[in-house]
């Protein structure tokens, strides 16, 4: 896997990257988890911009400014709710990553940070989600040479360990 990938333990709202990704819901009007923290840290202007976007479908993404965040932009994506794996969850989750990278490219963004989409309130098993996330990130790094850095911001030790294990066992990464 590419040296452009960093898997770290972090609160994504502290990261100074071109864009952080929000694990939002269909309404784009805020919620709990990473979504709640992003809205709190960005300030009320973010909600105002989100309210004009008309929501977002699972697997798709929309971009806003970052307002009071260190990141210049927020890319809001809606992950699938885990319903056992037979309801297009893998395709929808992969769609989130692809949609985020497509927007990043359209806006000439060079550094992006992702949370572990869908693995909190939406209950997607972290092992399975990490496999899809790292596969899509690796593909995007190959596809978009202008991308300089992709961070996976894991919020807790367990999530970090799962992503590191998936990276080293499936993608042959030794150090981060
Ligand atoms: N930085 C990085 N990761 C975080 C942070 C943070 N500040 N806070 C939580 N996480 P979740 P979902 C991790 O529930 O599963 C919201 O209410 C968290 O530990 O935020 O996609 C939305 O409005 C987990 O590993 O998102 C939706 O309704 C990961 O982020 C719904 O939750 C995702 O957990 C979306 O659920």
């Amino acid at each position: 896997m590419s040296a452009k990938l960093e898997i770290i333990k972090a609160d994504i709202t502290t990261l100074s990257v071109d864009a952080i990704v929000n694990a939002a819901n269909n309404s784009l009007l805020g919620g709990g988890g990473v979504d709640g923290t992003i809205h709190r840290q960005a300030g009320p202007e973010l909600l105002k911009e989100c309210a004009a976007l008309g929501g977002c479908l699972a697997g798709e993404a929309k971009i806003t400014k970052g307002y009071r965040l260190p990141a210049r932009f927020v890319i809001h994506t809606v992950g699938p709710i885990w319903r056992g794996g037979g309801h297009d969850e893998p395709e929808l989750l992969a769609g989130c990553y692809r949609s985020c990278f497509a927007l990043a490219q359209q806006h000439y963004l060079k550094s992006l940070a992702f949370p572990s989409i869908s693995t909190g309130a939406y209950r997607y098993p972290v092992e399975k989600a990490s496999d899809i996330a790292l596969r899509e990130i690796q593909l995007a790094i190959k596809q978009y040479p202008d991308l300089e850095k992709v961070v996976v911001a894991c919020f807790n030790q367990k999530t970090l360990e799962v992503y590191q294990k998936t990276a080293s066992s499936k993608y042959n990464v030794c150090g981060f």
Side-chain angles (χ1 to χ4, degrees):
M1 184 166 281
S2 168
K4 294 177 177 179
L5 171 70
E6 288 177 22
I7 301 172
I8 61 172
K9 192 166 137 190
D11 173 348
I12 202 166
T13 62
T14 65
L15 301 180
S16 296
V17 285
D18 289 340
I20 60 170
V21 172
N22 183 15
N25 58 57
N26 289 130
S27 76
L28 297 186
L29 297 178
V34 69
D35 195 7
T37 307
I38 287 174
H39 276 273
R40 259 194 315 280
Q41 299 302 324
E45 297 95 336
L46 178 62
L47 185 59
K48 219 172 148 190
E49 187 177 356
C50 283
L53 295 176
C56 184
L57 295 172
E60 298 186 0
K62 297 200 176 172
I63 191 165
T64 65
K65 287 182 272 185
Y67 298 98
R68 298 177 201 170
L69 290 164
R72 284 165 49 220
F73 295 94
V74 179
I75 299 177
H76 307 262
T77 190
V78 181
I81 298 171
W82 180 258
R83 291 194 287 149
H87 295 82
D88 287 339
E89 293 96 327
E91 294 76 15
L92 290 168
L93 187 60
C96 289
Y97 288 89
R98 289 180 201 158
S99 304
C100 289
F101 282 115
L103 277 176
Q105 199 204 22
Q106 282 164 29
H107 291 263
Y108 307 103
L109 308 184
K110 295 184 187 310
S111 56
L112 273 186
F114 287 90
S116 176
I117 299 166
S118 278
T119 66
Y122 284 178
R123 300 183 312 273
Y124 206 118
V126 187
E127 284 80 4
K128 293 186 188 345
S130 66
D131 195 11
I132 292 170
L134 294 175
R135 182 192 74 207
E136 292 303 323
I137 290 169
Q138 189 186 35
L139 284 171
I141 286 172
K142 281 196 192 134
Q143 193 180 349
Y144 304 125
D146 289 347
L147 261 182
E148 289 170 2
K149 186 166 79 164
V150 181
V151 180
V152 180
C154 300
F155 200 49
N156 53 50
Q157 191 63 26
K158 173 80 175 58
T159 305
L160 177 71
E161 283 168 12
V162 172
Y163 273 75
Q164 285 178 331
K165 190 166 166 230
T166 303
S168 51
S169 63
K170 292 214 165 177
Y171 297 101
N172 200 25
V173 187
C174 305
F176 302 98

